[in-house]
């Protein structure tokens, strides 16, 4: 006798015989408490030389596998999803790289048996065999959009699908089942309802099933896959198919597969408890992008959201830092999105009543390309509008500080919320800078005619070591966007936009002038203590107090020139504004030099 199995089998006898046709048959005899298996190996010619294992044989050189057993208790997975894995079996995709590359290159179109034989040359385990068949189908069979519209032109026979390279879901599932059968793997073609092309949120399902997919038997359990959806997608008009491989639908965890696949026979959900059709209809559709990007859960879980006092909220949990954006009726104007370390929060304030389509997009935080994938869709039903929450057009999503702004060098923000409320029109935001960066900030509002220069002059930067303070004086009441930009000090290029806050002020009495204009010689760590207003009163004595260092002299030039005196790190003194329209602060950097540099400029009120 000769053992065929590479794994040791305790207390198992193996009897091998060779028929005169050259077929080697191995029967293993097991103790009665273990499951018996029949192995048949192909061989050409007499004696023990044999081909790589293609189990069994029929009149074409192969045999069909035994009738698949129905799913039972050990096949079932808990529902809802336990967030452990996207797949129902441990899969290391890196270990498949060579096999995948090999499967893609196999080019056999004359018979399904020959194709399977070629694919299995590199596949040892049942999992590898299923993988090779899956990869080949997903990359070589395209969805037949013409056949879908004209069924008379359509054949779902495996050989026809192989030779035309086209089919609809029935053909994909049929070919997959047939190829697995040839490879000696139990496989079932399943049918049911799906949330695929043409699905509308909240719709009900009636009548015949509309989709087909497969279950395969591996490692003593049933597993689910959908090679139609693994291969690509059709366009909105259903006239063009694009190959776009989707790993998600290979051995998908049943608690995720049920999100858009509802089998005719509820046993094939492979879930405990099973879902009703009503559950399936009302559950939020999470497409494959949702899970492939590491997103875990979302609130609310219903596809239709009712606003409460003009507001609707959505939150997403995810495994790792992820960037999000959204569109409400095609724009991102009427919402406030904030990034969290493990997700995001979005508040929506539609400015019209009625139904609004809300789409949420995401991409990995480290992704270099700018492409966001749509991960969620809702219908927002708005009964009343909150006009107070009309945001400036310049507000950019997401709003407020986050892990992303920390990564850009802005640590320990004084304001963690996206909105800063001020009653007197003044506020101050501080950060610790973790990088050697220059910061630029500007103020934007829909109802303000601020020039670019004035947008910056309503903000004053104060640096103390690696701390930066942004002092803001609003020119009037309303909603403002504080935009913050940065660049490396060593970088001569432009500033990059980093993030923004929303600043709100309801006090209509507010009317702060801009801060004084500063020139290039005004150093980053200088500080104005007084006067902060860039507009000085006429015909008055004005007190100056400036924190500056490494300077020989400071003068304030009005109608006359007034020297400031140094005292405890500050330059102080008084200047009279009579008879002048502008006041300049000038510094003498070196006592041996005769020239002064302008550092600040104030305007004087007109009488």
């Amino acid at each position: 006798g000769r053992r065929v199995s590479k794994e040791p089998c305790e207390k198992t006898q193996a009897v091998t015989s060779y028929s005169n046709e050259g077929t080697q048959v191995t029967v293993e005899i097991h103790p009665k408490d273990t499951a018996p298996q029949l192995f048949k190996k192909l061989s050409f010619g007499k004696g023990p030389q044999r081909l790589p294992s293609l189990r069994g044989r029929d009149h074409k050189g192969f045999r069909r596998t035994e009738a698949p057993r129905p799913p039972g208790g050990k096949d079932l997975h808990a529902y809802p999803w336990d967030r452990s894995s996207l797949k129902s079996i441990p899969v290391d995709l890196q270990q498949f790289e060579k096999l995948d590359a090999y499967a893609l290159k196999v080019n056999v179109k004359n018979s399904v048996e020959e194709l399977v034989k070629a694919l299995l040359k590199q596949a040892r385990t049942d999992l590898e065999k299923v993988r090779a068949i899956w990869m080949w189908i997903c990359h070589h069979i395209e969805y037949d959009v013409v056949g879908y519209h004209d069924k008379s032109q359509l054949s779902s026979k495996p050989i026809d699908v192989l030779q035309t390279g086209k089919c609809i879901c029935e053909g994909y599932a049929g070919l997959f089942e047939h190829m697995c059968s040839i490879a000696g793997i139990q496989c079932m073609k399943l049918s049911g309802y799906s949330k695929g092309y043409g699905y509308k949120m909240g719709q009900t399902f009636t009548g015949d099933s509309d989709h087909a997919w497969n279950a395969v038997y591996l490692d003593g359990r049933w597993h689910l896959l959908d090679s139609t959806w693994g291969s690509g997608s059709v366009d909105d008009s259903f006239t063009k198919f694009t190959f776009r491989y989707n790993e998600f639908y290979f051995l998908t965890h049943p608690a995720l597969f049920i999100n858009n696949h509802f089998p005719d026979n509820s046993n094939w959900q492979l879930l405990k408890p099973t879902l009703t059709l009503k559950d399936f209809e009302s559950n939020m559709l999470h497409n494959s992008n949702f899970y492939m990007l590491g997103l875990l859960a979302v609130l609310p879980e219903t596809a239709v959201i009712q606003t409460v006092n003009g507001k609707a909220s959505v939150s997403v949990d995810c495994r790792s830092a992820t960037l999000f954006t959204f569109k409400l009726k095609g724009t991102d104007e009427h919402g406030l999105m904030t990034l969290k370390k493990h997700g995001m929060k979005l508040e929506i304030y539609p400015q019209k009543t009625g139904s609004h389509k809300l789409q949420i997009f995401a991409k990995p935080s480290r992704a270099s390309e700018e492409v966001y994938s749509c991960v969620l869709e809702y219908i927002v039903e708005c009964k009343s509008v909150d006009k107070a929450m009309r945001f400036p057009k310049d507000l950019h999503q997401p709003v407020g500080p986050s892990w992303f702004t920390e990564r850009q060098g802005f640590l320990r923000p004084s304001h963690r919320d996206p909105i800063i409320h001020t009653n007197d029109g003044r506020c101050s935001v501080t950060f610790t800078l973790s990088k050697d960066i220059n910061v630029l900030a500007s103020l934007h509002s829909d109802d303000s005619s601020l020039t670019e220069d004035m947008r910056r002059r309503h903000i004053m930067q104060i640096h103390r070591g690696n701390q930066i303070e942004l002092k803001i004086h609003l020119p009037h009441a309303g909603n403002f966007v504080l935009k913050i930009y940065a660049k490396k000090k060593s970088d001569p290029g432009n500033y990059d936009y980093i993030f923004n806050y929303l600043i709100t002020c309801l006090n209509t009495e507010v009317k702060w002038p801009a801060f004084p204009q500063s020139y290039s010689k005004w150093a980053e760590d200088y500080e104005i203590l007084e006067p902060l207003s860039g507009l000085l009163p006429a015909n008055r004595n004005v007190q100056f107090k400036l924190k500056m260092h490494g300077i020989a002299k400071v003068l304030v030039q009005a109608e006359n020139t007034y020297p400031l005196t140094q005292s405890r790190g500050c330059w102080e003194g008084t200047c009279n504004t009579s008879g002048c329209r502008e006041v300049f602060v000038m510094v003498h950097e070196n006592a041996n030099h005769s020239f002064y540099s302008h550092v600040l400029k104030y305007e004087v009120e007109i009488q």
Side-chain angles (χ1 to χ4, degrees):
R2 179 190 299 261
R3 267 209 192 134
V4 179
S5 174
K6 287 196 174 74
E7 296 86 29
C9 300
E10 288 179 29
K11 297 181 182 172
T12 302
Q13 291 173 275
V15 181
T16 304
S17 69
Y18 297 93
S19 74
N20 59 5
E21 292 172 35
T23 304
Q24 170 210 343
V25 180
T26 300
V27 180
E28 292 189 352
I29 301 156
H30 295 255
K32 66 178 179 209
D33 60 340
T34 62
Q37 289 176 293
L38 171 68
F39 293 101
K40 292 177 86 184
K41 302 280 183 181
L42 274 179
S43 128
F44 298 96
K46 297 187 171 40
Q49 73 273 23
R50 56 189 185 274
L51 282 179
S53 164
L54 277 170
R55 294 187 190 166
R57 117 186 217 154
D58 59 13
H59 63 284
K60 288 184 179 166
F62 298 98
R63 103 175 145 74
R64 284 193 169 274
T65 52
E66 56 272 28
R69 71 160 179 79
K74 67 177 180 177
D75 299 301
L76 305 184
H77 295 255
Y79 184 87
W81 183 46
D82 61 7
R83 301 187 176 193
S84 59
S85 168
L86 300 184
K87 300 201 180 288
S88 54
I89 193 169
V91 170
D92 181 353
L93 294 179
Q94 283 183 315
Q95 289 191 343
F96 284 148
E97 280 176 3
K98 275 188 183 166
L99 177 65
D100 289 354
Y102 170 77
L104 296 196
K105 291 192 185 116
V106 170
N107 184 20
V108 176
K109 291 285 176 85
N110 58 330
S111 91
V112 182
E113 286 80 3
E114 290 299 319
L115 170 60
V116 174
K117 191 192 293 184
L119 284 172
L120 298 200
K121 279 180 182 164
Q122 297 287 325
R124 298 183 314 281
T125 65
D126 281 359
L127 175 59
E128 287 176 353
K129 292 171 189 176
V130 168
R131 179 69 178 190
I133 292 168
W134 158 268
M135 286 305 279
W136 193 91
I137 290 178
C138 286
H139 289 84
H140 291 85
I141 305 298
E142 65 174 282
Y143 194 89
D144 188 352
V145 287
V146 175
Y148 174 83
H149 293 295
D150 179 6
K151 300 288 192 288
S152 67
Q153 302 297 310
L154 200 61
S155 169
S156 292
K157 286 182 186 167
I159 186 61
D160 293 339
V161 171
L162 175 64
Q163 290 178 347
T164 62
K166 291 182 177 184
C167 62
I168 60 170
C169 58
E170 189 78 18
Y172 279 96
L175 179 61
F176 199 95
E177 182 185 39
H178 186 54
M179 288 175 76
C180 282
S181 166
I182 292 166
I185 289 157
Q186 291 189 33
C187 179
M188 289 285 288
K189 183 170 80 172
L190 306 176
S191 58
Y193 295 129
S194 69
K195 293 180 179 178
Y197 176 83
Y199 167 71
K200 299 276 188 294
M201 279 185 281
Q203 78 171 59
T204 54
F205 291 88
T206 53
D208 295 338
S209 54
D210 60 22
H211 192 46
W213 57 91
N214 296 97
V216 288
Y217 194 71
L218 295 168
D219 290 352
R221 281 181 105 174
W222 283 106
H223 303 273
L224 302 168
L225 46 77
D226 184 342
S227 55
T228 313
W229 290 10
S231 65
S233 56
V234 292
D235 62 353
D236 289 343
S237 61
F238 212 88
T239 54
K240 183 172 182 288
F241 171 81
T242 304
F243 276 110
R244 189 178 291 115
Y245 176 68
N246 194 335
E247 175 63 40
F248 180 74
Y249 293 107
F250 179 68
L251 310 180
T252 315
H253 193 294
L256 304 182
F257 204 74
I258 192 65
N259 191 253
N260 45 20
H261 292 74
F262 189 83
D264 293 336
N265 179 341
S266 63
N267 290 338
W268 285 109
Q269 292 181 23
L270 306 185
L271 291 175
K272 188 179 179 184
T274 54
L275 274 73
T276 65
L277 181 58
K278 200 168 185 323
D279 295 332
F280 176 72
E281 288 169 345
S282 63
N283 277 0
M284 185 76 208
L285 172 62
H286 297 161
N287 61 25
S288 59
N289 291 329
F290 183 92
Y291 296 109
M292 295 296 272
L293 284 165
L295 310 190
L296 297 168
V298 59
L299 284 174
E301 290 179 326
T302 52
V304 180
I305 316 174
Q306 309 287 343
T307 59
V308 177
N309 299 326
K311 170 182 160 185
S313 300
V314 176
S315 63
V316 179
D317 290 343
C318 52
R319 287 188 198 280
S320 56
T322 306
L323 292 167
F324 291 89
T325 181
F326 74 92
K327 291 269 185 280
L328 182 71
K329 272 202 164 171
T331 90
D332 66 356
E333 283 173 21
H334 307 301
L336 206 61
M337 177 180 275
T338 48
L339 294 182
K340 309 289 178 202
K341 195 170 185 183
H342 294 292
M344 74 87 177
K345 188 163 182 269
L346 172 62
E347 292 176 349
I348 290 287
Y349 299 90
Q351 292 300 300
K352 284 183 181 171
T353 55
S355 291
H356 304 265
K357 184 177 177 180
L358 171 63
Q359 294 170 294
I360 294 170
F361 304 83
K363 74 170 183 177
S365 66
R366 300 282 183 192
S368 51
E369 70 278 358
E370 276 300 302
V371 179
Y372 281 82
S373 302
C374 183
V375 290
L376 287 168
E377 284 194 9
Y378 286 98
I379 294 290
V380 179
E381 299 279 3
C382 179
K383 293 191 173 65
S384 64
V385 171
D386 183 351
K387 293 285 185 202
M389 297 307 279
R390 179 171 280 165
F391 302 126
K393 285 192 170 55
D394 276 315
L395 189 67
H396 194 77
Q397 307 292 340
V399 186
S402 65
W403 58 263
F404 177 78
T405 54
E406 281 188 10
R407 208 180 268 181
Q408 310 303 315
F410 291 80
L411 307 183
R412 293 187 276 284
S414 57
H415 292 70
R416 294 202 168 272
D417 287 336
I419 305 183
I420 300 169
H421 299 278
T422 167
N423 189 42
D424 68 358
R426 295 181 297 181
C427 59
S428 166
V429 188
T430 59
F431 304 93
T432 301
L433 299 180
S434 69
K435 296 179 178 177
D436 202 19
I437 52 177
N438 285 327
V439 177
L440 189 71
S442 63
L443 207 57
H444 302 258
S445 160
D446 284 354
D447 49 357
S448 189
S449 54
L450 293 176
T451 62
E452 193 162 335
D453 177 50
M454 291 309 273
R455 283 174 183 165
R456 292 185 197 150
R457 281 190 45 204
H458 277 273
I459 305 162
M460 183 164 73
Q461 285 190 35
I462 301 160
H463 291 256
R464 301 180 188 97
N466 63 348
Q467 267 227 332
I468 182 172
E469 179 186 356
L470 300 176
K471 253 190 215 301
I472 297 119
H473 285 184
L474 299 180
H476 51 76
N479 287 342
F480 289 83
V481 182
L482 171 64
K483 289 198 173 191
I484 298 171
Y485 304 79
K487 75 176 182 77
K488 285 183 190 159
K489 285 188 177 169
S490 57
D491 184 355
N494 293 332
Y495 283 83
D496 290 324
Y497 167 80
I498 308 295
F499 69 117
N500 55 191
Y501 280 99
L502 177 65
I503 302 176
T504 69
C505 177
L506 299 175
N507 183 354
T508 53
E509 303 290 307
V510 163
K511 193 181 178 185
W512 290 101
F515 292 106
Q517 187 174 344
S518 59
Y519 295 105
S520 58
K521 290 287 186 182
W522 179 261
E524 192 177 72
D525 52 356
Y526 292 176
E527 186 178 343
I528 304 169
L529 299 176
E530 58 179 336
L532 286 178
S533 170
L535 189 62
L536 302 179
N539 307 320
R540 293 270 182 87
N541 285 330
V542 178
Q543 182 70 27
F544 276 76
K545 188 174 184 182
L546 308 170
K547 207 183 263 188
M548 299 157 83
H549 57 83
I551 298 167
K553 279 185 188 175
V554 182
L555 299 178
V556 178
Q557 184 186 20
E559 181 74 1
N560 299 312
T561 303
Y562 303 87
L564 303 185
T565 55
Q566 197 172 14
S567 165
R568 292 196 299 271
C570 290
W571 292 86
E572 298 181 57
T574 307
C575 138
N576 189 282
T577 58
S578 299
C580 65
R581 298 285 305 280
E582 294 172 333
V583 172
F584 293 92
V585 177
M586 303 186 296
V587 297
H588 207 145
E589 293 172 70
N590 189 318
N592 298 324
H593 291 170
S594 57
F595 57 86
Y596 285 85
S597 302
H598 287 71
V599 289
L600 293 174
K601 175 186 169 186
Y602 290 84
E603 310 278 332
V604 177
E605 284 178 347
I606 300 165
Q607 280 293 63

